[in-house]
Amino acid sequence: MMNYSSGPPETESRTLPTPAVRAEGLTVVRGPRTVLRGLDFTVPRGQITGLLGPSGCGKSTLMRAIVGTQAKVTGTLDVLGLSAGHPTLRTRIGYVTQAPSVYDDLTVRQNLDYFAAILTLGRAASARRTDIDRVLADVDLTTHADSLAGNLSGGQRSRVSLAVALLGTPELLILDEPTVGLDPVLRRDLWNLFHDIAASRGATLLISSHVMDEAERCHRLLLMREGEILADDTPDALRTRTGSETVEAAFLHLVDEAAAAGRRKETAR
Amino acid sequence: MSTPTTKKPTKPTKKPTMNTTAPTSALNVSRTTATAARVLRQLRHDPRTIVMMILIPCVMLFLLRYVFDGSPRTFDGIGASLLGIFPLITMFLVTSIATLRERTSGTLERLLAMPLGKGDLIAGYALAFGTLAIIQSALATGLAVWFLGLDVVGSPWLLLLVALLDALLGTALGLFVSAFAASEFQAVQFMPAVIFPQLLLCGLFTPRDNMHPVLEAISDVLPMSYAVDGMNEVLRHTDMTATFIRDVLIVAGCALLVLGLGAATLRRRTA
Ligand SMILES: Nc1ncnc2c1ncn2[C@@H]1O[C@H](COP(=O)(O)OP(=O)(O)OP(=O)(O)O)[C@@H](O)[C@H]1O
Ligand SMILES: [Mg+2]
């Protein structure tokens, strides 16, 4: 046995040289306001990181910055070892916008066909077909493959949008509230799918959500409030640290704490 | 609650973007044709629009023929000009609405986050609407020349060529103005703003050299003037004249220029 490669932490750090996302002093200005204020965090590879926070705190903005569609980004933001928005990242990231972005006047399959053609250049038509069938099954829309996207229910449309991001084998999936408006059974199935993607492919998932019981299913959590990161930890550690039963309680605790601190700062001024 | 506006005096640090060296900017054939096929598929689910695009020019020419029943010479002039104007207007409208929808539905953001070049997207649109324009112009030209007695001295193929270039110009203009429209209402208003002045000044109503010198000078820099001029050259001359070639080159050049401007309005990063 070679003793220099025996330590598991060491091999671990060799196979995972860079985090999936690394931000330092990440600041984003949208219109008149500073939406993200000097964020520092990392998203580890091969895990599901939940992005939680009240409406308007900047979750979608942060995701857009990582994907490279957000303008006026300053600071450091490295994604898969490259700076965010690097052209070669475009095939390596799957992105689901908060509002479903699909063509309403195409069928579900035609939508997937087109995006697959854009993504997986030069792949054989049969391979592309298999891929499309797979993602259709993943989001449970096989029976609706030939319906017009515009004629689907809200939850079905958002699943089409999710299916597009699952095409190919993206190393990083950025999912902006992918389970909003879905029933409990479907949500459970999708979370199983997310875990499966992380475990089998070693893909990284960054998933924003409002639903706190979904937070319990993440490996790590980023809690945000008003453009700042309140906490960056595992769900267990968060609960222990705040002495709360659930992540929801822990989150409320942290928000109250931050609000109180904010008030103290203001009165001190 | 107060926001600490004085905290950071917008000091632009290292920008995390390297978009200057986009390898996807060169035209990619399979992505372009996939985009064109997608645009045509979208239209196929909307047969009424297709029927209207193709039939309205024919109906208008038919009407015109009998409006000028007593003066077939007038019909020749106006009819030929209209063959150049229809594709421009139709494609302008269709493209500006289609690309506006692409912007507002979020599909543009999604596409630009994917390895799709801006050129692929624009060429895809141009290809799709160019195909439609060929069908539209072929039917309108055929109807005018063979059934309504439009008296063309030159080759009808040249009429078709000019019509196709006009369609491309319309697509280019539509793509460009859609960047400045925040809603469908605004997009439709660009039609009177961009198209009507050209329509008035292009020589359709009165020869351009009869207009006030100022207006004539303006018409000299509007591309539709050359589209109409080219049509009239084919109408009156058996061979390709130098003027015709100049007209065709100007229309094609304008179309390319505006397509390039349109590409510049597609931003991967938006506010
Ligand atoms: N296009 C825009 N122009 C200017 N400001 C914007 C724009 N979009 C969002 N904002 C502002 O940026 C802030 C953060 O918005 P963002 O969409 O990132 O929030 P979010 O956390 O995703 O909220 P939600 O949970 O409701 O989706 C908000 O205060 C919002 O007003
Ligand atoms: Mg959001």
Side-chain angles (χ1 to χ4, degrees):
Chain A
M1 230 224 250
M2 308 271 217
N3 53 11
Y4 55 77
S5 67
S6 57
E10 198 181 295
T11 33
E12 183 98 346
S13 68
R14 288 222 171 149
T15 48
L16 301 174
T18 51
V21 180
R22 188 176 66 87
E24 261 170 41
L26 173 66
T27 300
V28 174
V29 178
R30 292 188 91 164
R33 66 174 73 209
T34 306
V35 173
L36 300 183
R37 302 154 185 275
L39 305 190
D40 299 301
F41 65 90
T42 56
V43 174
R45 290 207 194 209
Q47 294 195 344
I48 300 182
T49 301
L51 183 59
L52 299 157
S55 177
C57 71
K59 301 183 294 294
S60 301
T61 308
L62 176 56
M63 292 185 142
R64 279 167 47 87
I66 294 172
V67 172
T69 56
Q70 178 64 51
K72 295 200 180 164
V73 182
T74 50
T76 307
L77 182 58
D78 287 340
V79 179
L80 300 173
L82 297 162
S83 53
H86 192 279
T88 60
L89 289 174
R90 287 179 204 142
T91 44
R92 299 168 65 192
I93 301 179
Y95 171 43
V96 180
T97 47
Q98 186 166 1
S101 46
V102 292
Y103 297 101
D104 280 346
D105 42 7
L106 289 182
T107 68
V108 174
R109 189 179 287 282
Q110 288 171 340
N111 265 293
L112 291 169
D113 248 339
Y114 174 56
F115 288 114
I118 299 303
L119 274 177
T120 47
L121 196 63
R123 267 222 275 160
S126 64
R128 196 181 290 170
R129 222 190 143 72
T130 325
D131 206 32
I132 290 173
D133 288 336
R134 170 183 63 86
V135 297
L136 279 172
D138 280 347
V139 299
D140 195 24
L141 278 178
T142 310
T143 52
H144 285 84
D146 297 315
S147 309
L148 277 186
N151 292 345
L152 297 177
S153 74
Q156 289 170 329
R157 277 179 83 237
S158 65
R159 278 184 280 153
V160 182
S161 197
L162 173 62
V164 174
L166 298 177
L167 286 168
T169 49
E171 294 161 57
L172 174 62
L173 278 164
I174 307 285
L175 312 179
D176 202 348
E177 305 197 10
T179 57
V180 123
L182 301 183
D183 60 274
V185 179
L186 222 100
R187 273 203 347 238
R188 182 201 58 199
D189 291 350
L190 283 178
W191 274 94
N192 287 340
L193 172 71
F194 298 156
H195 276 275
D196 200 48
I197 291 173
S200 64
R201 276 207 251 129
T204 309
L205 292 92
L206 181 64
I207 305 178
S208 73
S209 176
H210 275 137
V211 191
M212 289 293 167
D213 60 303
E214 290 186 339
E216 313 271 356
R217 307 209 50 176
C218 300
H219 299 118
R220 291 191 72 82
L221 293 175
L222 284 173
L223 298 189
M224 283 182 73
R225 181 180 165 273
E226 288 183 16
E228 278 162 11
I229 303 247
L230 277 190
D232 173 3
D233 223 327
T234 64
D236 275 338
L238 274 176
R239 277 192 301 261
T240 325
R241 200 173 95 203
T242 55
S244 320
E245 291 274 291
T246 59
V247 170
E248 176 156 9
F251 178 67
L252 291 174
H253 181 95
L254 287 168
V255 168
D256 288 345
E257 210 176 71
R263 268 197 302 276
R264 268 199 304 279
K265 230 191 301 175
E266 220 147 279
T267 45
R269 238 188 285 166
Chain B
M1 264 207 332
S2 77
T3 35
T5 40
T6 48
K7 195 172 140 198
K8 265 181 192 170
T10 49
K11 186 179 61 182
T13 46
K14 193 184 104 195
K15 261 204 163 184
T17 130
M18 287 187 55
N19 285 357
T20 38
T21 53
T24 46
S25 59
L27 217 57
N28 175 300
V29 176
S30 74
R31 286 185 178 128
T32 302
T33 49
T35 303
R38 184 263 297 175
V39 172
L40 289 174
R41 271 183 184 165
Q42 282 180 286
L43 275 176
R44 217 175 57 200
H45 289 289
D46 184 6
R48 200 180 300 170
T49 297
I50 300 189
V51 168
M52 292 206 294
M53 277 171 83
I54 287 173
L55 281 191
I56 288 176
C58 295
V59 173
M60 294 306 286
L61 282 169
F62 191 79
L63 258 178
L64 209 65
R65 163 68 185 77
Y66 293 100
V67 166
F68 294 107
D69 205 25
S71 53
R73 290 278 69 79
T74 317
F75 173 67
D76 285 347
I78 297 187
S81 305
L82 280 185
L83 283 177
I85 291 169
F86 278 136
L88 204 159
I89 293 185
T90 336
M91 297 309 150
F92 174 82
L93 277 178
V94 182
T95 314
S96 56
I97 300 284
T99 44
L100 181 72
R101 271 167 48 180
E102 188 107 65
R103 284 175 207 271
T104 50
S105 70
T107 47
L108 183 68
E109 177 176 349
R110 167 161 244 161
L111 283 176
L112 291 179
M114 286 184 172
L116 177 77
K118 296 173 193 175
D120 300 338
L121 185 70
I122 289 182
Y125 267 102
L127 196 62
F129 291 140
T131 310
L132 272 176
I134 289 181
I135 300 173
Q136 183 200 52
S137 306
L139 278 175
T141 310
L143 177 82
V145 173
W146 287 302
F147 293 94
L148 300 178
L150 184 81
D151 208 359
V152 189
V153 177
S155 158
W157 291 108
L158 293 182
L159 287 184
L160 212 56
L161 172 72
V162 180
L164 179 63
L165 290 176
D166 289 348
L168 284 184
L169 179 62
T171 298
L173 285 171
L175 203 85
F176 180 64
V177 302
S178 81
F180 304 98
S183 68
E184 262 100 342
F185 290 138
Q186 291 181 8
V188 175
Q189 292 309 319
F190 275 116
M191 153 103 179
V194 175
I195 301 291
F196 278 17
Q198 299 201 58
L199 208 56
L200 286 176
L201 298 179
C202 71
L204 176 68
F205 297 102
T206 177
R208 291 197 292 131
D209 44 17
N210 286 358
M211 294 189 283
H212 188 281
V214 173
L215 292 186
E216 192 187 346
I218 296 177
S219 82
D220 282 343
V221 295
L222 295 178
M224 198 192 276
S225 310
Y226 298 93
V228 167
D229 216 46
M231 285 297 187
N232 282 306
E233 286 296 305
V234 184
L235 188 76
R236 283 190 262 278
H237 304 277
T238 4
D239 298 315
M240 268 195 258
T241 59
T243 317
F244 174 80
I245 292 173
R246 180 207 65 182
D247 291 339
V248 163
L249 288 180
I250 288 180
V251 174
C254 280
L256 286 180
L257 179 76
V258 182
L259 278 178
L261 290 177
T265 67
L266 296 177
R267 296 241 171 274
R268 286 198 194 268
R269 289 179 181 271
T270 49

